[in-house]
Amino acid sequence: MSTAHGARARARIEVTAAIKDEARRQLAAEGAARLSLRAVARELGMVSSALYRYFPSRDDLLTALIIDAYDSLGASAEAAHDAAADAGPPQRWLAVCEAVRGWALQRPHEYALIYGSPVPGYTAPETTVPAASRVGLLFFGIVRDAYRGPGLAKPSLPADLRPEAERMAADLAPDLPPETVTALVAAWAQLFGLVGFELFGQFHRVVEDREAFFRHAAGQLAHGVGLVYPQRRPVAKSPGPHND
């Protein structure tokens, strides 16, 4: 790579980062629905035509921000999971859940972008799917490890839901029981519902100790998918010298 080409590449990376940073600032101030390329360009001292060379449309910029947010969330969850790698599946599950909540509380506007109200006129493309799947894949991995190792308690499944459960299992995790896959999908949705309720104010004057409440609720979700904390076995007493 020539020196000039390398300098241009670095400059493009820097300008792209500056555009995204300003767009995130506008998300916080105005919300995703009011994000404007012209406003971003104006704040950066750029002409609109120059910004369009980096992001041809508002939707392209939104897509980049969405992928960045999913990747940032996924990286935080993966780091928490790795830090608890020596723990059992229930503890790893809780570590990931707490990482999701912690990330959301630190970056509420990015959380709102990916798990809040849909942006009018915008449809996320398939390119967002790999980043969006990172947290879910962690949960599937934790449950898969439990299934292959210490075991899972099989959740109940209504008969009328079995065809859909079998379809989901075939699509998402053919190596797991349909009952487990169905419970996992529900737990995934419930986790983000818990975080969203806290973040968007629905717990106001309802839940005060939200950290303790969240830990309990995340543990219930783990239990719902069949993860059970190992029970300590009673230690048998050795017979005394005077026992028959």
Side-chain angles (χ1 to χ4, degrees), residues 66-160:
I66 287 168
I67 291 174
D68 284 355
Y70 276 130
D71 276 333
S72 177
L73 173 59
S76 294
E78 289 161 3
H81 177 269
D82 292 347
D86 294 334
Q91 292 84 359
R92 287 155 52 203
W93 174 282
L94 183 58
V96 172
C97 289
E98 290 184 320
V100 169
R101 175 178 179 265
W103 183 91
L105 293 177
Q106 291 176 0
R107 307 174 80 155
H109 302 293
E110 289 182 72
Y111 185 89
L113 176 64
I114 54 179
Y115 288 112
S117 300
V119 180
Y122 173 81
T123 301
E126 290 293 319
T127 53
T128 62
V129 172
S133 302
R134 289 173 67 169
V135 173
L137 290 175
L138 280 177
F139 286 130
F140 273 91
I142 292 168
V143 172
R144 186 174 286 113
D145 287 347
Y147 183 62
R148 294 172 178 171
L152 284 169
K154 186 179 289 187
S156 61
L157 183 69
D160 61 350

Side-chain angles (χ1 to χ4, degrees), residues 33-230:
R34 300 188 65 180
L35 181 64
S36 162
L37 287 183
R38 289 184 180 275
V40 171
R42 181 173 60 252
E43 290 299 322
L44 292 176
M46 300 173 62
V47 295
S48 299
S49 58
L51 191 145
Y52 290 138
R53 292 200 293 269
Y54 295 86
F55 296 100
S57 70
R58 181 210 66 162
D59 286 4
D60 291 310
L61 178 53
L62 271 176
T63 296
L65 296 175
I66 287 168
I67 291 174
D68 284 355
Y70 276 130
D71 276 333
S72 177
L73 173 59
S76 294
E78 289 161 3
H81 177 269
D82 292 347
D86 294 334
Q91 292 84 359
R92 287 155 52 203
W93 174 282
L94 183 58
V96 172
C97 289
E98 290 184 320
V100 169
R101 175 178 179 265
W103 183 91
L105 293 177
Q106 291 176 0
R107 307 174 80 155
H109 302 293
E110 289 182 72
Y111 185 89
L113 176 64
I114 54 179
Y115 288 112
S117 300
V119 180
Y122 173 81
T123 301
E126 290 293 319
T127 53
T128 62
V129 172
S133 302
R134 289 173 67 169
V135 173
L137 290 175
L138 280 177
F139 286 130
F140 273 91
I142 292 168
V143 172
R144 186 174 286 113
D145 287 347
Y147 183 62
R148 294 172 178 171
L152 284 169
K154 186 179 289 187
S156 61
L157 183 69
D160 61 350
L161 184 56
R162 180 160 293 279
E164 175 64 6
E166 292 176 348
R167 184 201 62 77
M168 286 194 292
D171 288 346
L172 299 173
D175 56 331
L176 292 176
E179 294 88 346
T180 300
V181 173
T182 303
L184 253 174
V185 172
W188 188 7
Q190 290 169 60
L191 168 65
F192 288 104
L194 281 167
V195 174
F197 261 49
E198 179 174 0
L199 203 64
F200 303 137
Q202 281 88 349
F203 282 156
H204 180 59
R205 300 182 68 180
V206 176
V207 179
E208 296 297 332
D209 189 344
R210 293 171 187 173
E211 183 172 355
F213 178 83
F214 181 84
R215 286 180 62 85
H216 170 74
Q220 291 297 107
L221 294 179
H223 183 78
V225 301
L227 295 175
V228 292
Y229 286 85

